[in-house]
Amino acid sequence: MSDFSSAINIIRKYEGFSEKAYADPSTGGEPYTIGYGSQYYPDGAPVRQGQLCSKQKALEYLFHEVNVIDTQLTKLNLGIDDSMRQALISFIHSIGWEPFLYSNIVDCLEREDFCSATEEMGRWIFDVDHKVIGGLLDRRREEIVLFLQEVDANPWASTEVLLKAFRNYSAAPHQVRAIRSLEESINPYVLSEFANNFQVDEEPWDSFWDNEAEVLFDS
């Protein structure tokens, strides 16, 4: 059997183990889930309320599901490396085969537009009420990091295009439109992390005077 350890580790980490079948949070009933996120047994039978399984059985179910997903991916004949394949296996295990198949991600992969593919993956973080699920934010981040592990998918990485844009920013209409377009295309996790690191809500002179105070006290 192929080594899908990276995919399996992510799945186990975020699905967790459940000895007893539990109901879908959005329906209060079917589909029921057991083990490490399994909703069907290897013979195709759906998981039913009240059923139990051991960790060993849960791993058997998971290995079967991973191999099924890998077979389906292979049939699509996408130009993906091993890290991409494992990231996609975890991602598909999370959202389901049909949502993946009819998503924009497949189109991006067929064009080998890997940056856009990861942006699309990063959008799958909401529940049925369109609220962000914290665990999915972290899971998508790990899947995206794994997906890009073997490829330099950002051709602009060394050109400092954003720094140049910030230096030349004058609030011209075309600049505002470009920034808004970029903001809409960035997945929410990356955008919120940037806002925190950049200290978007902080007044620009606050950090200046804090630094000045540090210099005075140190001297």
Side-chain angles (χ1 to χ4, degrees), residues 6 9-11 13-15 87 90-91 94 121-126 132-147 187-190 192-193:
S6 295
N9 286 340
I10 293 177
I11 294 170
K13 177 178 178 180
Y14 289 101
E15 293 290 347
S90 173
F91 180 76
S94 174
M121 290 169 66
R123 299 181 192 278
W124 291 79
I125 56 175
F126 302 99
V132 174
I133 301 175
L136 287 184
L137 282 171
D138 295 331
R139 179 168 181 168
R140 296 295 171 261
R141 185 181 190 185
E142 284 200 37
E143 289 165 346
I144 289 170
V145 168
L146 176 60
F147 184 92
N187 78 66
Y189 186 94
V190 173
S192 62
E193 187 174 40

Side-chain angles (χ1 to χ4, degrees), residues 103-120:
S103 71
N104 293 329
I105 299 170
V106 176
D107 295 331
C108 294
L109 294 173
E110 288 176 342
R111 300 193 306 267
E112 297 189 1
D113 185 354
F114 302 131
C115 281
S116 295
T118 58
E119 289 171 5
E120 291 295 327

Side-chain angles (χ1 to χ4, degrees), residues 7 11 15 37 65-66 68-74 76 78 80 84-101 103 105-106 109 121 124 139-140 143:
I11 294 170
E15 293 290 347
E65 291 168 3
V66 164
V68 169
I69 295 171
D70 179 60
T71 300
Q72 292 170 318
L73 274 174
T74 300
L76 293 181
L78 302 170
I80 55 177
M84 292 177 182
R85 178 176 295 273
Q86 296 209 51
L88 289 173
I89 286 172
S90 173
F91 180 76
I92 294 167
H93 185 274
S94 174
I95 73 166
W97 175 253
E98 287 197 1
F100 167 75
L101 187 60
S103 71
I105 299 170
V106 176
L109 294 173
M121 290 169 66
W124 291 79
R139 179 168 181 168
R140 296 295 171 261
E143 289 165 346

Side-chain angles (χ1 to χ4, degrees), residues 54 59-60 71 79 90 99 106-107 117 128 140 155 158 164 202 217:
S54 65
L59 284 173
E60 290 178 17
T71 300
S90 173
V106 176
D107 295 331
V128 292
R140 296 295 171 261
S158 62
K164 184 177 180 180
E202 183 177 295
F217 283 119

Side-chain angles (χ1 to χ4, degrees), residues 121-193:
M121 290 169 66
R123 299 181 192 278
W124 291 79
I125 56 175
F126 302 99
D127 62 16
V128 292
D129 297 318
H130 305 290
K131 295 181 180 179
V132 174
I133 301 175
L136 287 184
L137 282 171
D138 295 331
R139 179 168 181 168
R140 296 295 171 261
R141 185 181 190 185
E142 284 200 37
E143 289 165 346
I144 289 170
V145 168
L146 176 60
F147 184 92
L148 297 175
Q149 185 169 287
E150 298 182 44
V151 63
D152 178 12
N154 184 2
W156 295 99
S158 62
T159 62
E160 296 189 335
V161 64
L162 286 179
L163 285 176
K164 184 177 180 180
F166 289 151
R167 293 190 192 104
N168 297 333
Y169 181 70
S170 61
H174 71 278
Q175 292 177 333
V176 174
R177 287 195 298 270
I179 290 173
R180 285 176 175 165
S181 176
L182 177 63
E183 184 173 338
E184 291 172 359
S185 69
I186 297 174
N187 78 66
Y189 186 94
V190 173
L191 193 61
S192 62
E193 187 174 40

